[in-house]
Amino acid sequence: MTDHRQRPRRRGQGELEALVLSALREADGPASAGWVQERLGGDLAYTTVITILTRLLAKGAVTRERAGRSFAWTPASDQAGLAARKMRKVLDAENDREAVLASFVTGLAPDDERLLRELLGRPPGEGED
């Protein structure tokens, strides 16, 4: 007799990281791993949440501070900041930065290229929060 129960779908590391970051952004301040686990509905084991938070810390996506015997976690930046950090990491890994940037700009949709040119035309620091 074969067991036909369906196993839960495994989520990828990126998806889990996004879920954890989303939960942290909903917190009123620094949050414990246990709070994050509860916020996600208890689907993930506590150790899995800790592993994800530690990976996010290594990537610079979260910060942590001592809270008793454990840590309180805070997102380091919003989604836009994380995407920008990923883009810089990819750019930093390339030898010919000019070629990469030129290829990136020529591949942009016209509206995105116009927006980028507008942003580059601003004095440094203008429009930043």
Side-chain angles (χ1 to χ4, degrees):
M1 188 160 125
T2 307
D3 187 358
H4 293 289
R5 285 181 291 174
Q6 201 166 5
R7 292 172 53 186
R9 180 181 72 82
R10 268 185 76 105
R11 292 177 277 210
Q13 180 179 326
E15 184 180 351
L16 292 174
E17 289 176 357
L19 287 170
V20 168
L21 277 171
S22 178
L24 281 176
R25 282 191 200 95
E26 294 172 8
D28 291 332
S32 69
W35 184 90
V36 171
Q37 181 191 26
E38 286 176 24
R39 189 71 179 183
L40 296 176
D43 281 352
L44 298 176
Y46 180 81
T47 54
T48 302
V49 173
I50 291 291
T51 298
I52 294 165
L53 287 166
T54 303
R55 286 181 181 155
L56 289 168
L57 180 67
K59 293 178 179 183
V62 298
T63 59
R64 69 180 183 187
E65 58 189 49
R66 214 13 117 179
R69 292 177 36 209
S70 61
F71 292 102
W73 304 82
T74 307
S77 61
D78 60 10
Q79 281 296 109
L82 290 174
R85 183 177 288 123
K86 287 178 188 177
M87 293 166 68
R88 281 191 302 273
K89 187 175 180 179
V90 168
L91 184 60
D92 288 345
E94 297 298 324
N95 291 330
D96 191 348
R97 294 174 75 90
E98 183 177 346
V100 172
L101 286 169
S103 180
F104 176 75
V105 171
T106 58
L108 290 174
D111 287 344
D112 290 336
E113 183 178 348
R114 190 171 23 263
L115 176 59
L116 181 59
R117 290 184 186 285
E118 194 177 293
L119 291 169
L120 290 171
R122 292 182 187 168
E126 183 181 308
E128 294 178 6
D129 294 332

mmCIF file of all heavy atoms in Angstrom, residues 80-121:
data_model
loop_
_atom_site.group_PDB
_atom_site.id
_atom_site.type_symbol
_atom_site.label_atom_id
_atom_site.label_comp_id
_atom_site.label_asym_id
_atom_site.label_seq_id
_atom_site.Cartn_x
_atom_site.Cartn_y
_atom_site.Cartn_z
ATOM 1 N N ALA A 80 14.077 48.034 -1.485
ATOM 2 C CA ALA A 80 14.871 48.760 -2.488
ATOM 3 C C ALA A 80 16.353 48.751 -2.107
ATOM 4 O O ALA A 80 17.227 48.558 -2.956
ATOM 5 C CB ALA A 80 14.364 50.191 -2.641
ATOM 6 N N GLY A 81 16.635 48.940 -0.833
ATOM 7 C CA GLY A 81 18.018 48.920 -0.368
ATOM 8 C C GLY A 81 18.664 47.559 -0.545
ATOM 9 O O GLY A 81 19.831 47.448 -0.919
ATOM 10 N N LEU A 82 17.898 46.500 -0.289
ATOM 11 C CA LEU A 82 18.427 45.143 -0.467
ATOM 12 C C LEU A 82 18.694 44.851 -1.942
ATOM 13 O O LEU A 82 19.723 44.266 -2.283
ATOM 14 C CB LEU A 82 17.453 44.112 0.106
ATOM 15 C CG LEU A 82 17.323 44.101 1.618
ATOM 16 C CD1 LEU A 82 16.223 43.135 2.048
ATOM 17 C CD2 LEU A 82 18.636 43.740 2.276
ATOM 18 N N ALA A 83 17.786 45.267 -2.806
ATOM 19 C CA ALA A 83 17.990 45.053 -4.244
ATOM 20 C C ALA A 83 19.225 45.816 -4.720
ATOM 21 O O ALA A 83 20.027 45.284 -5.494
ATOM 22 C CB ALA A 83 16.752 45.487 -5.023
ATOM 23 N N ALA A 84 19.382 47.045 -4.238
ATOM 24 C CA ALA A 84 20.551 47.844 -4.623
ATOM 25 C C ALA A 84 21.840 47.184 -4.140
ATOM 26 O O ALA A 84 22.847 47.167 -4.860
ATOM 27 C CB ALA A 84 20.433 49.258 -4.055
ATOM 28 N N ARG A 85 21.815 46.621 -2.934
ATOM 29 C CA ARG A 85 22.997 45.944 -2.397
ATOM 30 C C ARG A 85 23.360 44.731 -3.266
ATOM 31 O O ARG A 85 24.525 44.491 -3.564
ATOM 32 C CB ARG A 85 22.740 45.494 -0.960
ATOM 33 C CG ARG A 85 23.959 44.849 -0.320
ATOM 34 C CD ARG A 85 23.738 44.474 1.136
ATOM 35 N NE ARG A 85 23.689 45.676 1.952
ATOM 36 C CZ ARG A 85 22.659 45.996 2.741
ATOM 37 N NH1 ARG A 85 21.622 45.220 2.832
ATOM 38 N NH2 ARG A 85 22.690 47.100 3.451
ATOM 39 N N LYS A 86 22.348 43.983 -3.728
ATOM 40 C CA LYS A 86 22.591 42.832 -4.605
ATOM 41 C C LYS A 86 23.203 43.286 -5.931
ATOM 42 O O LYS A 86 24.122 42.657 -6.454
ATOM 43 C CB LYS A 86 21.285 42.081 -4.876
ATOM 44 C CG LYS A 86 20.771 41.294 -3.711
ATOM 45 C CD LYS A 86 19.456 40.625 -4.074
ATOM 46 C CE LYS A 86 18.800 39.989 -2.879
ATOM 47 N NZ LYS A 86 17.488 39.412 -3.216
ATOM 48 N N MET A 87 22.676 44.382 -6.471
ATOM 49 C CA MET A 87 23.198 44.903 -7.735
ATOM 50 C C MET A 87 24.657 45.326 -7.590
ATOM 51 O O MET A 87 25.476 45.053 -8.472
ATOM 52 C CB MET A 87 22.332 46.061 -8.222
ATOM 53 C CG MET A 87 20.925 45.626 -8.627
ATOM 54 S SD MET A 87 19.760 46.984 -8.833
ATOM 55 C CE MET A 87 20.418 47.799 -10.266
ATOM 56 N N ARG A 88 24.980 46.001 -6.484
ATOM 57 C CA ARG A 88 26.379 46.411 -6.252
ATOM 58 C C ARG A 88 27.285 45.196 -6.105
ATOM 59 O O ARG A 88 28.421 45.196 -6.591
ATOM 60 C CB ARG A 88 26.466 47.306 -5.013
ATOM 61 C CG ARG A 88 26.053 48.735 -5.269
ATOM 62 C CD ARG A 88 26.392 49.649 -4.123
ATOM 63 N NE ARG A 88 25.782 49.247 -2.872
ATOM 64 C CZ ARG A 88 24.570 49.597 -2.458
ATOM 65 N NH1 ARG A 88 23.819 50.354 -3.223
ATOM 66 N NH2 ARG A 88 24.110 49.195 -1.296
ATOM 67 N N LYS A 89 26.787 44.158 -5.441
ATOM 68 C CA LYS A 89 27.590 42.949 -5.241
ATOM 69 C C LYS A 89 27.920 42.299 -6.590
ATOM 70 O O LYS A 89 29.052 41.884 -6.823
ATOM 71 C CB LYS A 89 26.835 41.972 -4.338
ATOM 72 C CG LYS A 89 27.627 40.763 -3.932
ATOM 73 C CD LYS A 89 26.859 39.913 -2.938
ATOM 74 C CE LYS A 89 27.669 38.704 -2.535
ATOM 75 N NZ LYS A 89 26.970 37.877 -1.553
ATOM 76 N N VAL A 90 26.943 42.234 -7.470
ATOM 77 C CA VAL A 90 27.169 41.678 -8.809
ATOM 78 C C VAL A 90 28.165 42.545 -9.562
ATOM 79 O O VAL A 90 29.110 42.048 -10.175
ATOM 80 C CB VAL A 90 25.837 41.562 -9.586
ATOM 81 C CG1 VAL A 90 26.081 41.264 -11.055
ATOM 82 C CG2 VAL A 90 24.955 40.486 -8.962
ATOM 83 N N LEU A 91 27.985 43.855 -9.521
ATOM 84 C CA LEU A 91 28.891 44.780 -10.213
ATOM 85 C C LEU A 91 30.311 44.664 -9.671
ATOM 86 O O LEU A 91 31.281 44.651 -10.436
ATOM 87 C CB LEU A 91 28.373 46.211 -10.076
ATOM 88 C CG LEU A 91 29.148 47.292 -10.805
ATOM 89 C CD1 LEU A 91 29.184 47.034 -12.304
ATOM 90 C CD2 LEU A 91 28.538 48.649 -10.513
ATOM 91 N N ASP A 92 30.445 44.559 -8.353
ATOM 92 C CA ASP A 92 31.769 44.456 -7.735
ATOM 93 C C ASP A 92 32.506 43.177 -8.128
ATOM 94 O O ASP A 92 33.729 43.126 -8.086
ATOM 95 C CB ASP A 92 31.658 44.528 -6.206
ATOM 96 C CG ASP A 92 31.303 45.922 -5.714
ATOM 97 O OD1 ASP A 92 31.415 46.888 -6.493
ATOM 98 O OD2 ASP A 92 30.888 46.037 -4.541
ATOM 99 N N ALA A 93 31.762 42.161 -8.532
ATOM 100 C CA ALA A 93 32.378 40.880 -8.897
ATOM 101 C C ALA A 93 32.903 40.871 -10.335
ATOM 102 O O ALA A 93 33.583 39.937 -10.736
ATOM 103 C CB ALA A 93 31.369 39.741 -8.708
ATOM 104 N N GLU A 94 32.599 41.905 -11.098
ATOM 105 C CA GLU A 94 33.001 41.958 -12.502
ATOM 106 C C GLU A 94 34.265 42.777 -12.687
ATOM 107 O O GLU A 94 34.492 43.753 -11.981
ATOM 108 C CB GLU A 94 31.865 42.542 -13.353
ATOM 109 C CG GLU A 94 30.620 41.695 -13.350
ATOM 110 C CD GLU A 94 30.841 40.312 -13.933
ATOM 111 O OE1 GLU A 94 31.630 40.174 -14.902
ATOM 112 O OE2 GLU A 94 30.224 39.363 -13.420
ATOM 113 N N ASN A 95 35.077 42.396 -13.672
ATOM 114 C CA ASN A 95 36.317 43.114 -13.964
ATOM 115 C C ASN A 95 36.079 44.390 -14.758
ATOM 116 O O ASN A 95 36.716 45.403 -14.520
ATOM 117 C CB ASN A 95 37.291 42.215 -14.732
ATOM 118 C CG ASN A 95 37.831 41.101 -13.868
ATOM 119 O OD1 ASN A 95 37.961 41.259 -12.659
ATOM 120 N ND2 ASN A 95 38.126 39.971 -14.478
ATOM 121 N N ASP A 96 35.174 44.332 -15.735
ATOM 122 C CA ASP A 96 34.938 45.470 -16.621
ATOM 123 C C ASP A 96 33.634 46.160 -16.222
ATOM 124 O O ASP A 96 32.579 45.947 -16.816
ATOM 125 C CB ASP A 96 34.890 44.999 -18.077
ATOM 126 C CG ASP A 96 34.903 46.147 -19.070
ATOM 127 O OD1 ASP A 96 34.723 47.315 -18.649
ATOM 128 O OD2 ASP A 96 35.083 45.865 -20.271
ATOM 129 N N ARG A 97 33.729 47.014 -15.220
ATOM 130 C CA ARG A 97 32.547 47.696 -14.689
ATOM 131 C C ARG A 97 31.849 48.541 -15.758
ATOM 132 O O ARG A 97 30.637 48.594 -15.822
ATOM 133 C CB ARG A 97 32.925 48.582 -13.496
ATOM 134 C CG ARG A 97 33.412 47.806 -12.300
ATOM 135 C CD ARG A 97 33.911 48.734 -11.202
ATOM 136 N NE ARG A 97 32.830 49.382 -10.486
ATOM 137 C CZ ARG A 97 32.246 48.888 -9.403
ATOM 138 N NH1 ARG A 97 32.636 47.731 -8.908
ATOM 139 N NH2 ARG A 97 31.269 49.541 -8.808
ATOM 140 N N GLU A 98 32.648 49.208 -16.586
ATOM 141 C CA GLU A 98 32.078 50.063 -17.623
ATOM 142 C C GLU A 98 31.210 49.248 -18.578
ATOM 143 O O GLU A 98 30.092 49.649 -18.922
ATOM 144 C CB GLU A 98 33.172 50.793 -18.392
ATOM 145 C CG GLU A 98 32.620 51.744 -19.437
ATOM 146 C CD GLU A 98 33.712 52.519 -20.156
ATOM 147 O OE1 GLU A 98 34.860 52.538 -19.701
ATOM 148 O OE2 GLU A 98 33.369 53.121 -21.196
ATOM 149 N N ALA A 99 31.714 48.095 -19.005
ATOM 150 C CA ALA A 99 30.957 47.249 -19.931
ATOM 151 C C ALA A 99 29.666 46.737 -19.279
ATOM 152 O O ALA A 99 28.611 46.698 -19.924
ATOM 153 C CB ALA A 99 31.813 46.071 -20.395
ATOM 154 N N VAL A 100 29.749 46.356 -18.016
ATOM 155 C CA VAL A 100 28.571 45.855 -17.313
ATOM 156 C C VAL A 100 27.528 46.965 -17.188
ATOM 157 O O VAL A 100 26.342 46.761 -17.475
ATOM 158 C CB VAL A 100 28.943 45.294 -15.918
ATOM 159 C CG1 VAL A 100 27.704 44.956 -15.117
ATOM 160 C CG2 VAL A 100 29.840 44.073 -16.062
ATOM 161 N N LEU A 101 27.970 48.151 -16.770
ATOM 162 C CA LEU A 101 27.028 49.263 -16.619
ATOM 163 C C LEU A 101 26.428 49.675 -17.966
ATOM 164 O O LEU A 101 25.224 49.942 -18.062
ATOM 165 C CB LEU A 101 27.716 50.451 -15.951
ATOM 166 C CG LEU A 101 27.985 50.285 -14.454
ATOM 167 C CD1 LEU A 101 28.898 51.401 -13.947
ATOM 168 C CD2 LEU A 101 26.691 50.253 -13.669
ATOM 169 N N ALA A 102 27.250 49.711 -19.003
ATOM 170 C CA ALA A 102 26.752 50.072 -20.330
ATOM 171 C C ALA A 102 25.718 49.059 -20.809
ATOM 172 O O ALA A 102 24.667 49.433 -21.347
ATOM 173 C CB ALA A 102 27.913 50.160 -21.322
ATOM 174 N N SER A 103 25.996 47.785 -20.599
ATOM 175 C CA SER A 103 25.058 46.735 -20.992
ATOM 176 C C SER A 103 23.763 46.834 -20.197
ATOM 177 O O SER A 103 22.665 46.659 -20.738
ATOM 178 C CB SER A 103 25.707 45.368 -20.790
ATOM 179 O OG SER A 103 24.822 44.345 -21.170
ATOM 180 N N PHE A 104 23.882 47.142 -18.918
ATOM 181 C CA PHE A 104 22.711 47.292 -18.062
ATOM 182 C C PHE A 104 21.828 48.437 -18.569
ATOM 183 O O PHE A 104 20.623 48.270 -18.755
ATOM 184 C CB PHE A 104 23.140 47.550 -16.613
ATOM 185 C CG PHE A 104 21.999 47.824 -15.672
ATOM 186 C CD1 PHE A 104 21.172 46.794 -15.237
ATOM 187 C CD2 PHE A 104 21.752 49.111 -15.223
ATOM 188 C CE1 PHE A 104 20.111 47.045 -14.378
ATOM 189 C CE2 PHE A 104 20.694 49.365 -14.362
ATOM 190 C CZ PHE A 104 19.872 48.330 -13.938
ATOM 191 N N VAL A 105 22.428 49.594 -18.832
ATOM 192 C CA VAL A 105 21.670 50.770 -19.255
ATOM 193 C C VAL A 105 21.011 50.533 -20.611
ATOM 194 O O VAL A 105 19.847 50.885 -20.806
ATOM 195 C CB VAL A 105 22.563 52.032 -19.280
ATOM 196 C CG1 VAL A 105 21.848 53.207 -19.937
ATOM 197 C CG2 VAL A 105 22.979 52.395 -17.871
ATOM 198 N N THR A 106 21.729 49.919 -21.556
ATOM 199 C CA THR A 106 21.141 49.697 -22.882
ATOM 200 C C THR A 106 20.018 48.664 -22.836
ATOM 201 O O THR A 106 19.175 48.637 -23.724
ATOM 202 C CB THR A 106 22.196 49.264 -23.923
ATOM 203 O OG1 THR A 106 22.832 48.071 -23.476
ATOM 204 C CG2 THR A 106 23.224 50.355 -24.143
ATOM 205 N N GLY A 107 19.987 47.842 -21.781
ATOM 206 C CA GLY A 107 18.926 46.850 -21.647
ATOM 207 C C GLY A 107 17.697 47.349 -20.904
ATOM 208 O O GLY A 107 16.704 46.632 -20.776
ATOM 209 N N LEU A 108 17.732 48.583 -20.422
ATOM 210 C CA LEU A 108 16.600 49.132 -19.675
ATOM 211 C C LEU A 108 15.453 49.517 -20.600
ATOM 212 O O LEU A 108 15.667 49.917 -21.747
ATOM 213 C CB LEU A 108 17.032 50.392 -18.908
ATOM 214 C CG LEU A 108 17.968 50.204 -17.724
ATOM 215 C CD1 LEU A 108 18.405 51.567 -17.177
ATOM 216 C CD2 LEU A 108 17.308 49.379 -16.628
ATOM 217 N N ALA A 109 14.254 49.423 -20.074
ATOM 218 C CA ALA A 109 13.086 49.938 -20.789
ATOM 219 C C ALA A 109 13.228 51.464 -20.858
ATOM 220 O O ALA A 109 13.856 52.065 -19.982
ATOM 221 C CB ALA A 109 11.810 49.552 -20.044
ATOM 222 N N PRO A 110 12.668 52.103 -21.876
ATOM 223 C CA PRO A 110 12.816 53.555 -22.022
ATOM 224 C C PRO A 110 12.440 54.347 -20.764
ATOM 225 O O PRO A 110 13.145 55.289 -20.399
ATOM 226 C CB PRO A 110 11.899 53.899 -23.203
ATOM 227 C CG PRO A 110 11.865 52.638 -24.006
ATOM 228 C CD PRO A 110 11.931 51.520 -23.005
ATOM 229 N N ASP A 111 11.360 53.989 -20.109
ATOM 230 C CA ASP A 111 10.959 54.718 -18.895
ATOM 231 C C ASP A 111 11.979 54.547 -17.777
ATOM 232 O O ASP A 111 12.263 55.492 -17.038
ATOM 233 C CB ASP A 111 9.582 54.258 -18.414
ATOM 234 C CG ASP A 111 8.453 54.753 -19.309
ATOM 235 O OD1 ASP A 111 8.686 55.686 -20.111
ATOM 236 O OD2 ASP A 111 7.334 54.206 -19.199
ATOM 237 N N ASP A 112 12.553 53.333 -17.639
ATOM 238 C CA ASP A 112 13.564 53.098 -16.611
ATOM 239 C C ASP A 112 14.847 53.858 -16.923
ATOM 240 O O ASP A 112 15.490 54.412 -16.029
ATOM 241 C CB ASP A 112 13.859 51.604 -16.466
ATOM 242 C CG ASP A 112 12.703 50.845 -15.849
ATOM 243 O OD1 ASP A 112 11.889 51.464 -15.127
ATOM 244 O OD2 ASP A 112 12.616 49.622 -16.072
ATOM 245 N N GLU A 113 15.213 53.886 -18.208
ATOM 246 C CA GLU A 113 16.418 54.633 -18.599
ATOM 247 C C GLU A 113 16.237 56.123 -18.320
ATOM 248 O O GLU A 113 17.124 56.780 -17.785
ATOM 249 C CB GLU A 113 16.740 54.412 -20.071
ATOM 250 C CG GLU A 113 18.026 55.115 -20.487
ATOM 251 C CD GLU A 113 18.410 54.872 -21.930
ATOM 252 O OE1 GLU A 113 17.820 53.984 -22.585
ATOM 253 O OE2 GLU A 113 19.309 55.584 -22.409
ATOM 254 N N ARG A 114 15.053 56.648 -18.649
ATOM 255 C CA ARG A 114 14.761 58.058 -18.390
ATOM 256 C C ARG A 114 14.844 58.347 -16.885
ATOM 257 O O ARG A 114 15.436 59.338 -16.464
ATOM 258 C CB ARG A 114 13.382 58.405 -18.945
ATOM 259 C CG ARG A 114 13.039 59.857 -18.959
ATOM 260 C CD ARG A 114 11.755 60.227 -19.720
ATOM 261 N NE ARG A 114 10.752 59.186 -19.898
ATOM 262 C CZ ARG A 114 10.614 58.428 -20.999
ATOM 263 N NH1 ARG A 114 11.431 58.576 -22.010
ATOM 264 N NH2 ARG A 114 9.667 57.519 -21.084
ATOM 265 N N LEU A 115 14.290 57.463 -16.066
ATOM 266 C CA LEU A 115 14.334 57.632 -14.614
ATOM 267 C C LEU A 115 15.771 57.597 -14.105
ATOM 268 O O LEU A 115 16.174 58.430 -13.288
ATOM 269 C CB LEU A 115 13.502 56.552 -13.925
ATOM 270 C CG LEU A 115 13.534 56.543 -12.398
ATOM 271 C CD1 LEU A 115 13.033 57.862 -11.828
ATOM 272 C CD2 LEU A 115 12.710 55.383 -11.862
ATOM 273 N N LEU A 116 16.566 56.661 -14.607
ATOM 274 C CA LEU A 116 17.961 56.563 -14.189
ATOM 275 C C LEU A 116 18.730 57.833 -14.563
ATOM 276 O O LEU A 116 19.473 58.371 -13.744
ATOM 277 C CB LEU A 116 18.625 55.329 -14.806
ATOM 278 C CG LEU A 116 20.080 55.090 -14.429
ATOM 279 C CD1 LEU A 116 20.238 54.932 -12.915
ATOM 280 C CD2 LEU A 116 20.620 53.854 -15.146
ATOM 281 N N ARG A 117 18.521 58.329 -15.779
ATOM 282 C CA ARG A 117 19.194 59.559 -16.195
ATOM 283 C C ARG A 117 18.776 60.739 -15.312
ATOM 284 O O ARG A 117 19.592 61.580 -14.948
ATOM 285 C CB ARG A 117 18.908 59.852 -17.664
ATOM 286 C CG ARG A 117 19.595 58.877 -18.601
ATOM 287 C CD ARG A 117 19.387 59.239 -20.065
ATOM 288 N NE ARG A 117 19.921 58.223 -20.940
ATOM 289 C CZ ARG A 117 21.209 58.033 -21.194
ATOM 290 N NH1 ARG A 117 22.109 58.804 -20.631
ATOM 291 N NH2 ARG A 117 21.600 57.069 -22.008
ATOM 292 N N GLU A 118 17.500 60.780 -14.952
ATOM 293 C CA GLU A 118 16.997 61.825 -14.071
ATOM 294 C C GLU A 118 17.673 61.727 -12.695
ATOM 295 O O GLU A 118 18.112 62.732 -12.143
ATOM 296 C CB GLU A 118 15.480 61.650 -13.926
ATOM 297 C CG GLU A 118 14.750 62.800 -13.323
ATOM 298 C CD GLU A 118 13.253 62.505 -13.304
ATOM 299 O OE1 GLU A 118 12.650 62.429 -14.394
ATOM 300 O OE2 GLU A 118 12.715 62.343 -12.195
ATOM 301 N N LEU A 119 17.764 60.524 -12.162
ATOM 302 C CA LEU A 119 18.399 60.327 -10.859
ATOM 303 C C LEU A 119 19.880 60.701 -10.899
ATOM 304 O O LEU A 119 20.401 61.303 -9.961
ATOM 305 C CB LEU A 119 18.241 58.875 -10.398
ATOM 306 C CG LEU A 119 16.821 58.450 -10.025
ATOM 307 C CD1 LEU A 119 16.744 56.944 -9.861
ATOM 308 C CD2 LEU A 119 16.361 59.167 -8.770
ATOM 309 N N LEU A 120 20.546 60.350 -11.988
ATOM 310 C CA LEU A 120 21.972 60.664 -12.119
ATOM 311 C C LEU A 120 22.210 62.159 -12.298
ATOM 312 O O LEU A 120 23.289 62.658 -11.990
ATOM 313 C CB LEU A 120 22.585 59.885 -13.283
ATOM 314 C CG LEU A 120 22.720 58.384 -13.060
ATOM 315 C CD1 LEU A 120 23.141 57.690 -14.351
ATOM 316 C CD2 LEU A 120 23.699 58.089 -11.944
ATOM 317 N N GLY A 121 21.199 62.881 -12.772
ATOM 318 C CA GLY A 121 21.333 64.319 -12.963
ATOM 319 C C GLY A 121 21.177 65.125 -11.679
ATOM 320 O O GLY A 121 21.500 66.308 -11.640
#
